[in-house]
Amino acid sequence: MQEQLTPDFNDYELIDTGDFEKLERFGRYVTRRPEPQAIWRRTLAEEEWRRTADASFRRDARSDERGEWRLAPGMPDRWAVEYAYKRMRLRMRLGLTSFKHVGIFPEQAANWNFIYDSCRALAGGEPSGGERVAEFGSSVSGGGAPKVLNLFAYTGGATLAARAAGAEVTHVDSVRQVVTWSRENMELSGLEGVRWIVEDALKFVRREVRRGSRYRGIILDPPAYGRGADGERWILEDNIGEMLECCAQLLEPRGAFLVLNLYSMGLSSTLARTAVRQAFGAPREEQWGELCFTDRAGKQLPLGTYYRFTR
C-alpha cells in the first residue's frame, strides 16, 4: 500500500519552508537550515525568520556540504528532545554539526513506531490501543527476543525503538563518533544492552552471510555516498543491489520485517519497492511512500522515501 506518513512528534515542529530553507523547532529551540526540496517561497518574512531562529546554518562558500552555525544568545550547542509512542519513551541528545544535521531525522519517527510495534509482536507483546501492527506467523508465537540489525544506524533512533520493544539489536555505523552519540542516546533513554559495531555496513553483512547469521528485522538507512571505517567507498546506486541481496540471506523467511529509507533526491519509493522485491521476493504485507511534515502554512515537505514489509 502506498502512503505518505507524518509522525506525531510533540518535540518537533516544521514552522515554515521555502526558498531552499526550513525553519524548525526541536524542543525549546528553533533552527534554520538549508533544504534543497523547499523550492517554493517562504510564507513568513525574512525578519520573522531571523527573529525566530536560535541557530542558523550558513554554508561555507568553499564547500557544498560543510558550513557553520550562527547562534543567538542563550542557544546551547547541545540539548535534548523526547519522543513517546505507546510504552516507548526515547530521549535523544541533539547537537549542531558542520554538515547542518542536528542528530535526528524527526520524520523517521513514523518508522520508529512501526519498528516498535513489529518487535513487540515478535516478542509476544500485546499491541495496545487497537492500532494496526504487523501480524506474524505462528513460528514466532512462542515469544522471545527477536534479533534486529540496524545498518547505517546513525544516532540510533531506530535502534532505540527496537530495543525499547525488547529486541536484541546490532547497531552498525562506520563513524565511531556517531556510535558514541548513539550510546549516549541509549543511556538518556534508560536502555541498555545494544551491540555496537563500528564497521563498513556492506563488509559487515558479507561476513554475517558467511557466518549463517539470521535476523527477524533489518533496518537500512543508506546515504547516497559515504566512507566505511577503513575508507571503503559506498555509492548507493552501485552498492545497494549487493546490500539487499546479502540482507535477503540474513532475514528469516517468516516472522520478519524490513525497513528501507532513501534520502537521495530523485530516488522514489517505487524504485525502492522494485529493488527490494527483486532481492526478497513478494512479501505478505508492504507499505511504501514518502515521509513528510507540513509547515504552519500547510506546505507539505517530503523529507525522504521509505519502503517496509512484513512476512
Side-chain angles (χ1 to χ4, degrees):
M1 178 176 63
Q2 192 165 13
E3 185 178 357
Q4 288 184 331
L5 300 179
T6 298
D8 183 9
F9 199 146
N10 288 336
D11 261 2
Y12 176 80
E13 181 186 7
L14 185 62
I15 299 171
D16 193 18
T17 58
D19 297 312
F20 304 101
E21 288 189 289
K22 56 186 175 182
L23 191 67
E24 306 163 280
R25 178 184 60 82
F26 292 90
R28 295 174 50 194
Y29 301 103
V30 174
T31 64
R32 177 178 184 171
R33 300 190 283 170
E35 176 48 65
Q37 302 208 92
I39 63 174
W40 45 82
R41 297 299 183 192
R42 291 180 295 196
T43 300
L44 301 177
E46 170 65 20
E47 293 76 13
E48 184 71 8
W49 277 60
R50 290 181 180 178
R51 185 188 65 81
T52 304
D54 296 298
S56 300
F57 185 87
R58 291 292 177 265
R59 290 195 186 277
D60 188 326
R62 298 165 296 180
S63 172
D64 291 333
E65 298 179 346
R66 291 182 177 271
E68 63 178 8
W69 291 89
R70 298 176 184 176
L71 308 185
M75 174 65 194
D77 59 0
R78 295 187 178 191
W79 72 106
V81 296
E82 297 181 354
Y83 180 74
Y85 173 73
K86 296 183 179 179
R87 298 179 184 177
M88 176 172 65
R89 299 291 184 271
L90 304 183
R91 183 172 173 83
M92 290 164 282
R93 192 264 287 176
L94 304 189
L96 303 174
T97 74
S98 62
F99 292 95
K100 83 176 181 179
H101 301 306
V102 299
I104 63 169
F105 294 93
E107 66 277 5
Q108 284 298 324
N111 280 326
W112 302 344
N113 298 349
F114 172 83
I115 292 163
Y116 178 84
D117 284 339
S118 298
C119 290
R120 286 278 293 166
L122 284 169
E126 291 295 328
S128 61
E131 299 186 35
R132 188 185 71 176
V133 301
E135 296 177 358
F136 295 95
S138 59
S139 64
V140 298
S141 62
K147 292 178 60 178
V148 173
L149 175 62
N150 188 9
L151 299 167
F152 311 97
Y154 193 46
T155 56
T159 293
L160 301 182
R163 187 69 190 114
E168 295 181 5
V169 188
T170 299
H171 174 113
V172 181
D173 198 282
S174 64
V175 181
R176 185 172 299 277
Q177 297 93 323
V178 168
V179 173
T180 300
W181 194 337
S182 304
R183 188 188 295 268
E184 290 181 48
N185 289 337
M186 178 189 70
E187 294 169 353
L188 285 172
S189 300
L191 300 170
E192 60 183 7
V194 172
R195 179 190 179 202
W196 308 104
I197 304 292
V198 180
E199 189 173 4
D200 175 73
L202 186 54
K203 179 187 289 187
F204 178 81
V205 296
R206 287 169 178 159
R207 190 170 65 251
E208 287 291 271
V209 169
R210 293 195 296 270
R211 290 173 173 170
S213 298
R214 287 283 192 170
Y215 294 90
R216 294 285 186 188
I218 298 179
I219 305 153
L220 302 102
D221 201 351
Y225 176 82
R227 290 280 184 179
D230 296 322
E232 303 92 341
R233 292 181 64 196
W234 166 269
I235 300 175
L236 181 68
E237 290 86 346
D238 294 344
N239 299 125
I240 191 64
E242 182 185 358
M243 173 62 77
L244 291 175
E245 290 167 359
C246 288
C247 288
Q249 297 179 67
L250 297 177
L251 192 68
E252 292 283 2
R254 293 188 62 198
F257 70 89
L258 178 126
V259 177
L260 171 65
N261 297 294
L262 294 176
Y263 280 92
S264 298
M265 291 181 66
L267 297 185
S268 71
S269 59
T270 301
L271 183 152
R273 178 176 183 253
T274 301
V276 171
R277 287 171 67 96
Q278 183 182 55
F280 289 82
R284 182 177 49 78
E285 184 175 339
E286 61 182 345
Q287 190 177 18
W288 67 97
E290 294 178 322
L291 301 172
C292 302
F293 276 107
T294 302
D295 68 18
R296 291 178 181 176
K299 303 190 299 293
Q300 193 173 45
L301 178 67
L303 293 161
T305 61
Y306 75 94
Y307 174 85
R308 60 199 197 190
F309 74 62
T310 59
R311 67 186 189 186

